[in-house]
C-alpha cells in the first residue's frame, strides 16, 4: 500500500496495511511537516473512534518512508507551523544543537523562509530524534 498525504492518511493506510492479510507492506510518502518528522516514522498506526483518538490501531513499520521537502512549499503557513512545534519538541527533548539552530533561523515559520539546506537538516535531525524515541519504546 502507498500512503501519500499527511498524518491521517498515513495512519489510516498503515492501519489498513497492518490488518489486511495480517500485514502487507506499506510505503509512507508524507506531505506535511508533522507527518515527515513524526507520524510517518515509527509504525504507530491508528484511527479515531467516538470514544477517543487513535483507540483502534496497530504497530506496523513501513517498508520505506520517502520525504520530499519540496512538498512543504504547498502547505499553508499554519500547517507548516504545526509541524515546527514537533521539531521544537525534538530540539528541547534532546537535541540542543537543533534547538539553537532553530533559534538562529531567520524565518522559521515557512519552508521558504528556512531555505533548502536548513530545512533538510531539520528534517533529518527530527526524523532521527523520532526514530530514537521509537527504538527506546
Amino acid at each position: 500500500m502507498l500512503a501519500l498525504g499527511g498524518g491521517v492518511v498515513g495512519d489510516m493506510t498503515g492501519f489498513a496495511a497492518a490488518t489486511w492479510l495480517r500485514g502487507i507492506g506499506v510505503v509512507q510518502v508524507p506531505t506535511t511537516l508533522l507527518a515527515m518528522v513524526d507520524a510517518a516514522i515509527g509504525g504507530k498506526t491508528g484511527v479515531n473512534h467516538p470514544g477517543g483518538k487513535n483507540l483502534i490501531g496497530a504497530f506496523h513499520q513501513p517498508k520505506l518512508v520517502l520525504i520530499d521537502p519540496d512538498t512543504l512549499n504547498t502547505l499553508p503557513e499554519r500547517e507548516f507551523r504545526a509541524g515546527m512545534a514537533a521539531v521544537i519538541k525534538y530540539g528541547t527533548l534532546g537535541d540542543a544543537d537543533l534547538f539553537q539552530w532553530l533559534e538562529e533561523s531567520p524565518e522559521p515559520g515557512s519552508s521558504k523562509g528556512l531555505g533548502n539546506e536548513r530545512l533538510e537538516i531539520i528534517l533529518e535531525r527530527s526524523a532521527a530524534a523520532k526514530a530514537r524515541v521509537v527504538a527506546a519504546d
Side-chain angles (χ1 to χ4, degrees), residues 37-98:
V37 301
D38 188 73
I41 300 167
K44 185 177 83 171
T45 67
V47 294
N48 294 339
H49 181 275
K53 183 178 180 193
N54 289 333
L55 287 181
I56 303 167
F59 289 96
H60 190 66
Q61 295 293 336
K63 298 287 183 190
L64 178 67
V65 178
L66 292 173
I67 295 173
D68 180 1
D70 288 337
T71 62
L72 298 176
N73 293 327
T74 67
L75 291 180
E77 188 175 303
R78 181 180 171 149
E79 276 296 316
F80 186 83
R81 288 178 181 230
M84 283 301 289
V87 172
I88 292 166
K89 174 182 72 175
Y90 295 131
T92 58
L93 292 178
D95 192 340
D97 292 336
L98 173 62

Side-chain angles (χ1 to χ4, degrees), residues 16-52:
T19 57
W20 189 259
L21 299 175
R22 295 194 178 123
I24 62 172
V26 63
V27 173
Q28 295 277 354
V29 185
T31 58
T32 66
L33 181 57
L34 185 56
M36 289 178 185
V37 301
D38 188 73
I41 300 167
K44 185 177 83 171
T45 67
V47 294
N48 294 339
H49 181 275

Side-chain angles (χ1 to χ4, degrees), residues 84 87-88 91-92 95-109 114 118 122:
M84 283 301 289
V87 172
I88 292 166
T92 58
D95 192 340
D97 292 336
L98 173 62
F99 189 78
Q100 181 178 353
W101 207 63
L102 289 169
E103 286 187 311
E104 296 168 359
S105 295
E107 241 184 279
L114 287 169
R118 203 173 277 269
I122 285 170

